Amino acid sequence: MTLRIHNTLTRRLEPFAPLEPGHVRMYVCGMTVYDLCHLGHARSMVAFDVVQRWLKASGWRVTYVRNITDIDDKIIARALKNGETIRALTDRMIAAMHEDADALGIERPTHEPRATDYVPQMLDLIGRLEARGHAYRSADGDVNYAVRSFPGYGKLSGKSLEELRAGERVGVDATKRDPLDFVLWKAAKPGEPPEAQWDSPFGRGRPGWHIECSAMSCALLGDSFDIHGGGADLQFPHHENEIAQSEAATGQPLARIWMHNGFVRVDGEKMSKSLGNFFTIREVLARYDAETVRFFIVRAHYRSPLNYGDQHLDDARAALKRLYTALAAVPPADVGAIDWDGPWAARFKAAMDEDFGTPEAVAVLFELAAEVNRTRDARLSGLLRALGGVLGLLQQEPQAFLRAGAGLDEATIEARIAERAAAKAARDWATADRIRAELAAQGIVLKDGPGGTTWERA
């Protein structure tokens, strides 16, 4: 069966074959590093980690680029607020991002370019756009992209210029020829630090957000490449603008396939800071072990909404324990390279070849675990472990995973026990019972005695 991928650009499933035989080139929009990564970032990073893992498992060489935006308004404002340099802030946030990604079992991309290292390439691209009549200098010193100069604008979002104009939320800017025009180069503003400014033919300033990805993707992957990915929130305007910039400058299609992962929702609402339902990866990992969080993300299809909540994480933990219990009961044999013609592997492959169908692939893992429990076949157990590994799962020693409970460290558990003791002292029995129940749900059993409260892992 040939791999088929849903292409946002054409709105249909398409058979996939790389432009260069045997070599897949993929670009995914990464993080703007002014703060810790949140669960939405985790969703995107895990989704495209699974994509690149499956492409490799399918026998292709993969060049995977995931950029870092290390200069923008939020970064400048946060650095000034903290009283630190932009470089110190971004270095610290990049290190934290790597720690979070490593904990979730996310493999490092082939290239992880920082925007500030590619300013010359951005200036070259802007110069080409100006020369071809797609960019103009405004009275305030900015350089803007003339959206109406590109006939294909709107093809990714599927909307006409009139529809986009009616729905645009950009404030009126008298220096723009059209409200839909967007900035390619921002003139330096008073009060901005020198490290946020570069010399250019257009005057001192810094790049706009959209031009970064066009420059970095083309520099590392060529003018045309196979897959461009990111969160659904980037489809418009960011990816629409990338297409307009890149294709107007090169005359070539930027990417053949456009992929977008779904939103993270909390109790049916999109996760956002304004709603107060915002969770960093570290906040989630303080309550649940990293593999449970990864499994929670992986078992949902990458394009579907992901509904976050304790009950969903608890269910993911319980489900993952079922797979590890099978591996613990029947120690896995080393099966070597997976035989994709075998019945279990072939079903797994068919699921993954249909737009990276992880829900169906995970269902195969559970059926295989049941067969392992029934037959006590060590080679089937080894196959279960190997197929799980394709998704970045089931690589821990089974007994270690099962003994680890929810993965909470001792300091966290003791802090929760102290909270419960304070609640009991205040005769707040409801809070005390809730804390006990929450710990129990995460595999921690409390025992009250004359000497106080002790605990053990279930």
Side-chain angles (χ1 to χ4, degrees), residues 123-146:
L123 289 171
D124 176 71
L125 192 56
I126 295 169
R128 280 189 280 162
L129 289 170
E130 184 182 38
R132 296 185 180 193
H134 296 287
Y136 61 92
R137 306 185 193 199
S138 62
D140 62 358
D142 290 350
V143 180
N144 295 321
Y145 185 92

Side-chain angles (χ1 to χ4, degrees), residues 230-253:
D233 57 321
L234 298 180
Q235 183 177 342
F236 182 84
H238 183 53
H239 288 166
E240 194 78 71
N241 291 350
E242 275 191 70
I243 290 173
Q245 296 164 157
S246 301
E247 297 185 5
T250 68
Q252 302 294 322

Side-chain angles (χ1 to χ4, degrees), residues 31 33 66-70 94 97-98 112-115 216:
M31 268 50 73
V33 286
R66 189 184 67 219
N67 77 292
I68 294 171
T69 295
D70 61 346
I94 290 169
M97 177 189 72
H98 285 154
E112 200 172 45
R114 296 173 69 132
M216 287 185 279

Side-chain angles (χ1 to χ4, degrees), residues 15 111 113 123 142 150 171-172 198 211 263 304 319 330 334 351 353 361 433:
H111 302 286
L123 289 171
D142 290 350
F150 183 68
V172 176
W198 286 260
I211 197 68
F263 292 116
S304 67
V330 183
D334 183 1
D353 276 344
D433 290 343

Side-chain angles (χ1 to χ4, degrees), residues 48-69:
F48 288 101
D49 179 60
V50 169
V51 168
Q52 65 91 22
R53 284 173 181 262
W54 183 245
L55 293 171
K56 290 177 181 175
S58 299
W60 286 306
R61 178 168 68 92
V62 178
T63 299
Y64 174 26
V65 179
R66 189 184 67 219
N67 77 292
I68 294 171
T69 295

Side-chain angles (χ1 to χ4, degrees), residues 10 70 82 87 112 178 190 212 236 271 278 341 343 376 401-402 417 435:
T10 62
D70 61 346
N82 292 352
R87 187 73 186 200
E112 200 172 45
D178 188 294
E212 297 175 4
F236 182 84
M271 188 183 75
F278 181 86
D341 292 325
R376 322 302 284 183
F401 176 85
L402 295 171
I417 289 173
I435 293 171

Side-chain angles (χ1 to χ4, degrees), residues 111 118 136 161 189 218 252 311 359-360 365 384 391:
H111 302 286
Y118 285 79
Y136 61 92
L161 287 175
K189 305 294 191 297
C218 291
Q252 302 294 322
Q311 66 185 60
E360 295 79 9
L365 297 184
L384 172 62
L391 302 177

